[in-house]
Amino acid sequence: MPDNDTREGGQPPEGPSLLEKNRVLEEWLRWQLGQVQKRIRDLEEQERAAQRWKIQPKTPTSPALLHRGDCGLYQAQIGGVPARCRDRPGVAAARP
């Protein structure tokens, strides 16, 4: 089986060496890993946001409403709901 590091006549091959190719591959794989890690962080943040609550303030025509963080009916900053109220939505909605 011929050696891939030399051409016929003992001349070095043209183009990048195996070492250079592997260094480029390593760099690309590190970049890929960084992209996957960023995507994981983004998905984790989306999951945390979906678990939060947001309160739609009371208006003259409707009572205050409690929405899940991923609810699209009310667009607002997701605020913190006190821990004692998280499992009792009626309490949180009744807060001024």
Side-chain angles (χ1 to χ4, degrees):
M1 181 170 239
D3 186 359
N4 289 337
D5 288 336
T6 59
R7 292 187 304 173
E8 288 184 36
Q11 297 290 328
E14 294 180 19
S17 70
L18 288 176
L19 177 60
E20 292 169 318
K21 288 179 183 179
N22 279 280
R23 284 186 175 152
V24 169
L25 175 61
E26 178 188 30
E27 182 180 337
W28 180 79
L29 289 171
R30 286 182 193 276
W31 178 82
Q32 266 310 97
L33 177 60
Q35 296 298 308
V36 170
Q37 289 171 331
K38 181 184 181 303
R39 180 71 178 142
I40 288 170
R41 285 189 304 273
D42 291 346
L43 291 170
E44 288 171 341
E45 179 55 35
Q46 287 175 11
E47 193 172 288
R48 280 191 297 275
Q51 304 275 328
R52 295 181 187 146
W53 296 94
K54 54 188 174 181
I55 299 174
Q56 181 177 350
K58 178 181 174 182
T59 66
T61 59
S62 69
L65 297 173
L66 186 63
H67 297 269
R68 289 295 306 229
D70 57 351
C71 175
L73 296 175
Y74 178 63
Q75 300 299 321
Q77 283 292 85
I78 297 173
V81 174
R84 67 181 183 277
C85 299
R86 287 187 188 130
D87 295 329
R88 299 179 4 211
V91 172
R95 292 176 60 96

